[in-house]
Amino acid sequence: MAMANNKTQCFKCNKDKITYPCRGCSNEFCLMHLNEHHQILNEELNHIINDYDEFKQRINEQKQNPYNPSLIEHINQWETDSIEKIQQKAKDCREDVIKSSQTFINDVEMKFKDLTEQIKQIHGENEFNETNLNYLKNQLIEITEDLKKPLKITIRQNSKLFVTEISIILPKSKFNKWKQNAITVAAGNGKGEKLNQLNSPCGTFIDENKNVFIAEFDNHRIVEWKCNAKEGQLIAGGNGKGNRIDQLNGPTDVIVDQQNHSIIIADCNNRRVIQWFNQNKHILIANIDCYGLAMDKNGFLYVSDWNKNEVRRCKIGENNKGIIVAGGNGKGDKLNQLSNPTFIFVDEDQSIYVSDRENHRVMKWIKDAKEGRIVAGGNGNGRNLNQLSAPRGVIVDHSSQIYVVDCENDRVMRWCEGKEEGEIVVGGNGKGDQLTQLNCPRGLSFDDDGNLYICDQTNHRIEKFDIIL
């Protein structure tokens, strides 16, 4: 604070005095009220220091006891209840076994008593012959064999959960980051048709066990790579390129209906969506230029049609093409149009996100909307952070952040709806086959832990980017 040369009005007493300016609040104070003002500032500083000390103490206390008591109590109670249920069930089963065994022995004993009475009667009457003796011998042998036979009791295990399962759902950071060096989790052994190879993987699906289902465009098949497996397993197709019910032709996407363990395939070049369930095959939608697939929480199936520039929603089993829920107004770049849509995503509110490939943007169509809105890209074809180039895979997380494969820029972008530009999540290090690079990526998936999986198409491999916790 510096002394003023002229008298001015004091901010506190409103009198003309020699005043001193406070640079913090830009007010002028006389000497008396300047000291008073300074004292008030000191008191506020002391309050802040006290709050700081209290917060520091609270952190130290939580470091000593970092757990949430109510959650731990809930887990302990679940453990106790579950053990009690298991112990009671085991007790009931033991009692059933003992009771059944005792009943069996009693039945054999009754037969033996009946036979004993017959022997006494024959012996008492002293009238018997070889036939009577053979009968008695055979009866005794039969009873003896019954007693030797193991009791036909088996244990049946129900695949349904007997004890309610619990798990911990950790809060996810709004701005997750991933390791930039990928792990190749499928193939990476060059282009080919062996089970340890892939040929132009396009779409993926990750199940709850981190098994990866892959639609191979040029091998005309769907393969499953178990977690940490060295090679895949053939799930569908693999019988050469063709349009027979057991063949595929350029599949682009695959989803797994985990309710009935069937797989649904966008059989692109056969212009059909087909369902495989074990050895049963069924065409769900025919004569559709399908590319991307999605399923909502109510079991509705969504399919993008790259030729008609639309997305349709249908109910599985109704054997029809359903209704248009995005696009359908001809090819174009208006908000009610699409141009070569590829992958799609449907959120909890049944809003549809569409990778609008030739418009280099991602569109969001709210349920029942007549037009969409741009949520990523839309600033022409390019590699700036406000642009996309031929987008493919798209996923939206619980924080409404949009992840999109920026195919021709060899990167994955994250966009927050309403922002002017996105940010690079992985890739973006030039086209190549290093573990930090991608080459024309297509499909995009997350597992339940938030790890990121990319169909690295021209490198013929599936790359996993681990989340940084």
Side-chain angles (χ1 to χ4, degrees), residues 89-108:
K89 189 67 176 179
K91 180 183 176 183
D92 293 343
C93 289
R94 281 193 292 267
E95 289 177 353
D96 289 342
V97 170
I98 293 170
K99 183 178 179 181
S100 180
S101 299
Q102 190 62 53
T103 301
F104 169 74
I105 293 171
N106 291 341
D107 290 344
V108 174

Side-chain angles (χ1 to χ4, degrees), residues 387-430:
Q387 295 177 304
L388 295 171
S389 184
R392 296 297 205 283
V394 60
I395 288 179
V396 182
D397 68 12
H398 294 296
S399 300
S400 298
Q401 296 181 113
I402 302 133
Y403 295 81
V404 56
V405 172
D406 193 8
C407 175
E408 293 180 1
N409 286 324
D410 305 296
R411 64 191 184 185
V412 176
M413 302 285 290
R414 172 169 56 197
W415 290 66
C416 296
E417 188 173 342
K419 296 292 184 181
E420 294 294 326
E421 60 182 34
E423 61 178 323
I424 299 172
V425 174
V426 296
N429 299 307

Side-chain angles (χ1 to χ4, degrees), residues 45-106:
L45 176 60
N46 289 332
H47 282 306
I48 292 172
I49 292 172
N50 289 336
D51 291 343
Y52 170 83
D53 290 338
E54 287 179 10
F55 184 76
K56 185 176 179 180
Q57 182 180 355
R58 190 177 302 170
I59 287 179
N60 290 332
E61 289 173 355
Q62 291 200 12
K63 283 173 69 177
Q64 296 297 322
N65 299 289
Y67 60 86
N68 185 316
S70 63
L71 291 178
I72 297 298
E73 183 181 348
H74 187 115
I75 294 170
N76 291 340
Q77 189 60 51
W78 170 82
E79 180 184 28
T80 300
D81 294 344
S82 299
I83 291 173
E84 288 178 357
K85 283 183 179 181
I86 293 171
Q87 288 176 334
Q88 184 61 49
K89 189 67 176 179
K91 180 183 176 183
D92 293 343
C93 289
R94 281 193 292 267
E95 289 177 353
D96 289 342
V97 170
I98 293 170
K99 183 178 179 181
S100 180
S101 299
Q102 190 62 53
T103 301
F104 169 74
I105 293 171
N106 291 341

Side-chain angles (χ1 to χ4, degrees), residues 209-447:
N209 297 315
K210 296 184 175 61
N211 301 320
V212 187
F213 295 78
I214 308 163
E216 283 190 79
F217 189 84
D218 286 334
N219 272 337
H220 314 291
R221 67 186 184 186
I222 308 296
V223 291
E224 176 188 4
W225 284 67
K226 299 287 188 183
C227 185
N228 299 322
K230 299 300 181 184
E231 63 178 33
Q233 301 175 12
L234 183 64
I235 300 297
N239 298 305
K241 174 181 176 181
N243 61 5
R244 294 198 316 260
I245 195 68
D246 66 338
Q247 292 179 306
L248 300 172
N249 185 356
T252 50
D253 203 5
V254 58
I255 56 176
V256 178
D257 186 345
Q258 298 186 78
Q259 296 296 321
N260 60 19
H261 304 289
S262 69
I263 61 172
I264 300 171
I265 306 162
D267 192 10
C268 181
N269 290 342
N270 277 329
R271 303 184 65 246
R272 65 189 183 187
V273 177
I274 189 168
Q275 183 179 40
W276 285 53
F277 179 68
N278 294 329
Q279 296 304 313
N280 298 319
K281 298 95 178 171
H282 175 64
I283 296 174
L284 297 177
I285 308 174
N287 301 316
I288 182 171
D289 291 300
C290 51
Y291 194 101
L293 301 173
M295 186 175 288
D296 69 18
K297 62 183 179 181
N298 298 316
F300 283 96
L301 179 66
Y302 296 73
V303 186
S304 64
D305 187 320
W306 62 266
N307 188 34
K308 290 185 177 179
N309 301 292
E310 64 189 23
V311 177
R312 288 184 168 269
R313 181 183 69 209
C314 65
K315 188 71 173 176
I316 294 177
E318 292 184 355
N319 198 26
N320 60 53
K321 292 186 178 182
I323 61 172
I324 297 173
V325 290
N329 296 297
K331 184 174 183 177
D333 60 2
K334 295 178 181 177
L335 293 180
N336 68 343
Q337 294 178 307
L338 298 169
S339 183
N340 199 339
T342 58
F343 290 96
I344 53 178
F345 179 85
V346 181
D347 68 13
E348 289 290 313
D349 300 320
Q350 293 181 300
S351 293
I352 305 149
Y353 296 78
V354 187
S355 275
D356 194 9
R357 177 178 175 269
E358 291 184 0
N359 282 326
H360 311 290
R361 66 188 185 185
V362 175
M363 299 293 291
K364 177 182 180 181
W365 289 65
I366 297 173
K367 185 181 179 183
D368 300 326
K370 299 302 181 184
E371 63 179 32
R373 63 171 179 261
I374 301 170
V375 292
N379 296 301
N381 182 8
R383 59 182 308 106
N384 295 325
L385 291 180
N386 69 339
Q387 295 177 304
L388 295 171
S389 184
R392 296 297 205 283
V394 60
I395 288 179
V396 182
D397 68 12
H398 294 296
S399 300
S400 298
Q401 296 181 113
I402 302 133
Y403 295 81
V404 56
V405 172
D406 193 8
C407 175
E408 293 180 1
N409 286 324
D410 305 296
R411 64 191 184 185
V412 176
M413 302 285 290
R414 172 169 56 197
W415 290 66
C416 296
E417 188 173 342
K419 296 292 184 181
E420 294 294 326
E421 60 182 34
E423 61 178 323
I424 299 172
V425 174
V426 296
N429 299 307
K431 194 182 299 292
D433 60 3
Q434 301 300 307
L435 294 179
T436 59
Q437 295 178 305
L438 300 168
N439 193 344
C440 295
R442 293 295 195 269
L444 169 71
S445 298
F446 286 95
D447 64 23

Side-chain angles (χ1 to χ4, degrees), residues 34-254:
L34 178 66
N35 291 331
E36 182 181 299
H37 181 63
H38 186 68
Q39 183 62 34
I40 293 172
L41 294 180
N42 278 333
E43 290 175 0
E44 289 184 5
L45 176 60
N46 289 332
H47 282 306
I48 292 172
I49 292 172
N50 289 336
D51 291 343
Y52 170 83
D53 290 338
E54 287 179 10
F55 184 76
K56 185 176 179 180
Q57 182 180 355
R58 190 177 302 170
I59 287 179
N60 290 332
E61 289 173 355
Q62 291 200 12
K63 283 173 69 177
Q64 296 297 322
N65 299 289
Y67 60 86
N68 185 316
S70 63
L71 291 178
I72 297 298
E73 183 181 348
H74 187 115
I75 294 170
N76 291 340
Q77 189 60 51
W78 170 82
E79 180 184 28
T80 300
D81 294 344
S82 299
I83 291 173
E84 288 178 357
K85 283 183 179 181
I86 293 171
Q87 288 176 334
Q88 184 61 49
K89 189 67 176 179
K91 180 183 176 183
D92 293 343
C93 289
R94 281 193 292 267
E95 289 177 353
D96 289 342
V97 170
I98 293 170
K99 183 178 179 181
S100 180
S101 299
Q102 190 62 53
T103 301
F104 169 74
I105 293 171
N106 291 341
D107 290 344
V108 174
E109 189 177 26
M110 286 297 296
K111 291 181 181 179
F112 180 71
K113 286 181 180 179
D114 289 343
L115 182 59
T116 301
E117 291 297 324
Q118 293 179 51
I119 292 173
K120 286 181 181 180
Q121 183 179 354
I122 292 173
H123 187 265
E125 293 176 353
N126 201 23
E127 290 186 4
F128 54 88
N129 54 33
E130 288 82 1
T131 302
N132 301 120
L133 295 177
N134 287 334
Y135 169 76
L136 295 175
K137 286 180 183 179
N138 290 333
Q139 286 294 101
L140 184 59
I141 291 170
E142 184 178 326
I143 295 173
T144 304
E145 290 299 320
D146 284 345
L147 193 60
K148 287 181 180 179
K149 289 177 183 177
L151 192 59
K152 292 183 178 179
I153 298 177
T154 58
I155 293 177
R156 180 181 63 192
Q157 293 187 351
N158 193 335
S159 60
K160 294 182 179 179
L161 293 177
F162 167 62
V163 176
T164 303
E165 183 179 354
I166 66 170
S167 59
I168 302 301
I169 302 174
L170 298 174
K172 295 183 178 179
S173 169
K174 191 172 181 181
F175 299 103
N176 289 330
K177 294 184 180 297
W178 289 262
K179 294 179 180 179
Q180 296 301 298
N181 274 42
I183 301 169
T184 301
V185 294
N189 300 302
K191 173 182 176 180
E193 59 183 20
K194 295 178 181 177
L195 287 177
N196 70 342
Q197 295 178 306
L198 296 173
N199 190 350
S200 298
C202 193
T204 58
F205 182 93
I206 316 297
D207 71 9
E208 57 192 7
N209 297 315
K210 296 184 175 61
N211 301 320
V212 187
F213 295 78
I214 308 163
E216 283 190 79
F217 189 84
D218 286 334
N219 272 337
H220 314 291
R221 67 186 184 186
I222 308 296
V223 291
E224 176 188 4
W225 284 67
K226 299 287 188 183
C227 185
N228 299 322
K230 299 300 181 184
E231 63 178 33
Q233 301 175 12
L234 183 64
I235 300 297
N239 298 305
K241 174 181 176 181
N243 61 5
R244 294 198 316 260
I245 195 68
D246 66 338
Q247 292 179 306
L248 300 172
N249 185 356
T252 50
D253 203 5
V254 58

